[in-house]
Amino acid sequence: MTHQIALNFEDGVTRFVAANAGETVADAAYRQGINIPLDCRDGACGTCKCFAEAGRYELGEEYIDDALTADEAEQGFVLTCQMRALSDCVVRVPASSEVCRTAQATFDATISAVRQLSDSTIALSIKGEALGKLAFLPGQYVNLGVPGSEQSRAYSFSSLQRDGEVSFLIRNVPGGLMSSFLTGLAKAGDPMRLAGPLGSFYLRDIRRPLLLLAGGTGLAPFTAMLEKIAEQGSTHPLHLIYGVTNDFDLVEIDRLEAFAARIPNFSFSACVANPDSRHPLKGYVTQHIEPKHLNHGDVDVYLCGPPPMVEAVSQFIRDQGIAPANFYYEKFAASAA
Ligand SMILES: Cc1cc2nc3c(=O)[nH]c(=O)nc-3n(C[C@H](O)[C@H](O)[C@H](O)COP(=O)(O)OP(=O)(O)OC[C@H]3O[C@@H](n4cnc5c(N)ncnc54)[C@H](O)[C@@H]3O)c2cc1C
Ligand code: FES
């Protein structure tokens, strides 16, 4: 039996390798062209030390304390020359992808659907045989090449990959390069190139309640995460607060309702900031965070949206005097170009 190991490098690049039964993660990576820094390969030097963020594995008893202390092993540090996976795993490698002589993967595909959900939001799906091999962690993003230009833009997956198809939720920025392409020229069958997956904003093992906070198309990574949670289940409460500026920015409510019907512990609320809104729930995301959602700090918070929203919500949580057990965020920064 093989297990998928996601190797997350310091520069945000993720590569997936398949580890055979009994094979060490370092050997599996090497076999697939990725050189995790190694020295002794014997559990003695500690050079191959990484951090296991998710999954089950065994380290055996062949390594020495100088290479990995019991305390480190308890925290989740691993020696990849000793680590044998017992399930799919996510491993953070403290080196750049370049040092490990691996590169961001690129995939050629075609647009399978492009649909304007509202004036401000576009749903895009891309399909291709090559994408059948695209593995990513829900919450991650890719760089999509803008057809007819040398430029690319970052977009978070809004779905899991199914039969070589992936989807995105894209804000229509007036005059923007990708926005203009998608609202003007794009049609099914157009070629599109993807590079990735990338990013450290992804769903970890669910060990406590989750509070998910989305601003605008910052909803995208959460719908991918919810697809995953719907498949694997969760025994912990999960609450999403989705905030937008105007009524027409509010999209995918049907999909969220379907998740709420399918995932027993999942609830959500959606709010609109514009005071003239006809939506029943008004205001900013922060106005709808209740003490029970922060659970005295025993909560993992995931936050995604435009940079000012991410700053405001982070500040709000700090002001509550509560430090969540884990706090992950993604800012949808405008491209430098
Ligand atoms: C890690 C990451 C993940 C992202 N994921 C998503 C996603 O899932 N969905 C999504 O919609 N976007 C996402 N973005 C933002 C996305 O990459 C683009 O920046 C955005 O879609 C604009 O691209 P464009 O080519 O249409 O506009 P551009 O040609 O890049 O911009 C045109 C003009 O608009 C300004 N501008 C760009 N974006 C904004 C904005 N949001 N608000 C106000 N002005 C802006 C620019 O500064 C520029 O002046 C993500 C960004 C990052 C860094
Ligand atoms: S390479 Fe020396 S401990 Fe793994």
Side-chain angles (χ1 to χ4, degrees):
M1 173 160 194
T2 62
H3 297 297
Q4 287 291 318
I5 314 293
L7 299 171
N8 285 331
F9 299 95
E10 232 172 36
D11 49 351
V13 170
T14 302
R15 293 298 303 269
F16 283 77
V17 294
N20 294 324
E23 188 178 30
T24 68
V25 168
D27 283 345
Y30 184 72
R31 186 168 53 76
Q32 286 154 89
I34 299 172
N35 300 328
I36 295 176
L38 293 175
D39 193 356
C40 69
R41 306 180 82 100
D42 220 13
C45 70
T47 308
C48 66
K49 195 185 298 174
C50 291
F51 186 79
E53 299 204 315
R56 289 179 298 108
Y57 54 85
E58 57 189 9
L59 293 173
E61 289 170 4
E62 303 290 304
Y63 66 89
I64 61 169
D65 207 55
D66 279 352
L68 186 77
T69 64
D71 232 25
E72 288 175 317
E74 176 73 20
Q75 287 172 46
F77 286 95
V78 290
L79 297 174
T80 48
C81 74
Q82 304 297 306
M83 174 186 183
R84 291 174 170 85
L86 300 174
S87 72
D88 291 349
C89 292
V90 180
V91 175
R92 197 166 72 214
V93 182
S96 70
S97 58
E98 208 180 332
V99 164
C100 299
R101 285 189 236 136
T102 182
Q104 210 180 103
T106 57
F107 301 85
D108 285 312
T110 53
I111 293 179
S112 51
V114 55
R115 200 158 51 95
Q116 196 137 356
L117 299 181
S118 76
D119 281 353
S120 62
T121 315
I122 303 155
L124 172 71
S125 297
I126 298 178
K127 201 170 167 120
E129 213 181 308
L131 293 190
K133 297 197 187 78
L134 168 63
F136 59 88
L137 301 167
Q140 287 194 300
Y141 70 96
V142 279
N143 287 317
L144 290 187
V146 186
S149 87
E150 294 295 305
Q151 295 196 35
S152 62
R153 296 288 184 267
Y155 294 105
S156 307
F157 296 99
S158 65
S159 70
L160 300 180
Q161 186 258 112
R162 268 195 202 88
D163 301 326
E165 187 170 44
V166 289
S167 299
F168 304 91
L169 195 62
I170 297 182
R171 175 165 174 209
N172 179 13
V173 175
L177 189 67
M178 182 63 102
S179 303
S180 303
F181 168 74
L182 292 175
T183 51
L185 300 170
K187 55 182 187 322
D190 285 349
M192 201 163 235
R193 176 165 280 194
L194 295 76
L198 292 151
S200 54
F201 185 74
Y202 52 82
L203 182 67
R204 273 57 176 189
D205 281 349
I206 303 176
R207 298 196 171 130
R208 54 182 67 78
L210 299 192
L211 177 59
L212 315 174
L213 303 168
T217 51
L219 182 65
F222 295 119
T223 48
M225 290 183 192
L226 288 164
E227 281 193 5
K228 182 74 183 175
I229 295 169
E231 276 180 14
Q232 71 183 23
S234 165
T235 51
H236 295 283
L238 320 162
H239 187 66
L240 166 76
I241 307 177
Y242 166 39
V244 297
T245 308
N246 296 301
D247 286 346
F248 58 79
D249 299 322
L250 215 46
V251 296
E252 302 277 62
I253 297 296
D254 291 357
R255 204 164 158 210
L256 293 178
E257 280 167 356
F259 283 127
R262 208 175 143 200
I263 305 170
N265 298 308
F266 171 65
S267 57
F268 76 95
S269 59
C271 56
V272 181
N274 189 336
D276 297 331
S277 162
R278 281 181 293 157
H279 190 70
L281 209 59
K282 294 194 190 38
Y284 295 107
V285 162
T286 47
Q287 289 166 261
H288 302 286
I289 301 176
E290 297 172 26
K292 68 174 179 197
H293 298 142
L294 293 172
N295 198 30
H296 306 287
D298 188 24
V299 63
D300 288 347
V301 177
Y302 290 75
L303 163 64
C304 180
M309 180 262 181
V310 171
E311 299 295 344
V313 176
S314 308
Q315 185 61 47
F316 173 86
I317 291 175
R318 280 196 295 274
D319 290 348
Q320 304 312 297
I322 286 174
N326 290 291
F327 184 51
Y328 307 106
Y329 64 86
E330 181 87 284
K331 289 182 185 174
F332 280 4
S335 85

